[in-house]
Amino acid sequence: MARTKNAINGAERSSSPHSDATTSALEKPTSPLSIIVSPADRDIVKVNNASLTELKNACDDAVKRYLGRPELFKQIHLHTDVRLGLGWLSVFVAAGTALYGYKVDFEKSKPVVWAGFIVYIALTVLQTLYAYFIEGNIVFVGKRKTFSKRIITERITLTSATEPLSMNYVQSTSGGKSLLSKGKTQGSKEYNAFFDAQGLMDQAKFEAWVGKLVEQAMEGKSA
């Protein structure tokens, strides 16, 4: 009986690493490189090779399309929403001020018109400062939750000034209270690595490069 019991205990001990590995595999989130994108699902992207702005915008849009797929991350539009909110608010203030000045006698409307003008300038300046200091060079902010034995939350932020692409990745659980992993990586390639002489973008090649950088960050590697 003792031998049988020990044998059973040994079997339990030997199966434990396999069980841990299975649990780890189940909790491992979907990686970008595991997503196969059909060429038919892509629109042709063609830009002017002489324009750095067009090249950068094309790459930024490709990042959003690729990482914003349902299988990967849900894009967070907070920065865009804030800028649009401030912009629309300044438009309403300007329109309201103009309408008030049109309907009310000039001398009587002066204080309100001046106040409206000052508020309009303040909102415009605030929008500019927000875009420069807070949003900065952020291209993509994404978040997703996966469920296995616990809820895992991932958040990824990609920034790009011109050619270098930097990303920060954080994986947590318990509503963000417990940090599971954290990675930061950076990559740089010239635009001609992804665009041919006619300005056509090789989206598959670009996505493979971005996906590799994201996976490095997900694995906790720093570069």
Side-chain angles (χ1 to χ4, degrees):
M1 285 293 292
R3 287 184 179 180
T4 304
K5 186 175 181 180
N6 289 336
I8 292 173
N9 290 337
E12 289 177 349
R13 285 195 294 270
S14 62
S15 65
S16 180
H18 175 72
S19 176
D20 293 341
T22 304
T23 301
S24 178
L26 288 173
E27 291 188 348
K28 187 177 181 181
T30 304
S31 62
L33 292 179
S34 66
I35 304 299
I36 306 299
V37 182
S38 170
D41 294 334
R42 296 193 181 98
D43 294 327
I44 295 175
V45 177
K46 186 175 182 180
V47 300
N48 178 8
N49 277 337
S51 173
L52 287 177
T53 300
E54 287 191 28
L55 291 167
K56 184 183 185 306
N57 289 340
C59 290
D60 291 351
D61 291 341
V63 165
K64 295 172 186 177
R65 286 194 302 271
Y66 180 50
L67 296 181
R69 290 180 171 276
E71 306 93 331
L72 295 177
F73 298 93
K74 180 180 179 181
Q75 185 174 358
I76 299 174
H77 301 278
L78 174 63
H79 297 306
T80 303
D81 292 342
V82 170
R83 285 192 292 104
L84 285 176
L86 291 172
W88 277 110
L89 186 57
S90 63
V91 169
F92 289 141
V93 169
T97 302
L99 182 62
Y100 182 84
Y102 175 76
K103 289 191 172 184
V104 179
D105 182 72
F106 178 71
E107 290 299 327
K108 290 183 178 180
S109 66
K110 266 186 176 181
V112 175
V113 170
W114 271 108
F117 176 73
I118 292 171
V119 171
Y120 172 80
I121 295 298
L123 288 171
T124 303
V125 170
L126 184 61
Q127 183 187 33
T128 303
L129 293 176
Y130 182 91
Y132 186 80
F133 289 105
I134 298 178
E135 183 177 14
N137 296 319
I138 292 176
V139 173
F140 179 87
V141 179
K143 187 177 181 180
R144 69 175 171 182
K145 290 184 178 181
T146 52
F147 305 88
S148 54
K149 291 186 176 180
R150 54 186 173 178
I151 300 176
I152 298 176
T153 303
E154 299 165 274
R155 184 183 178 93
I156 188 168
T157 304
L158 280 78
T159 60
S160 173
T162 50
E163 291 176 7
L165 186 68
S166 302
M167 58 192 70
N168 291 300
Y169 171 84
V170 175
Q171 185 186 78
S172 60
T173 187
S174 302
K177 296 178 181 179
S178 301
L179 180 65
L180 297 179
S181 66
K182 186 176 182 180
K184 182 177 182 180
T185 188
Q186 179 175 319
S188 178
K189 276 193 177 184
E190 295 183 359
Y191 288 123
N192 60 17
F194 309 114
F195 295 87
D196 63 17
Q198 285 73 43
L200 290 172
M201 184 180 190
D202 188 339
Q203 298 178 67
K205 186 175 181 181
F206 180 77
E207 290 170 359
W209 177 65
V210 172
K212 185 177 180 181
L213 291 176
V214 172
E215 290 202 352
Q216 288 178 357
M218 290 175 67
E219 291 169 2
K221 297 177 181 178
S222 298

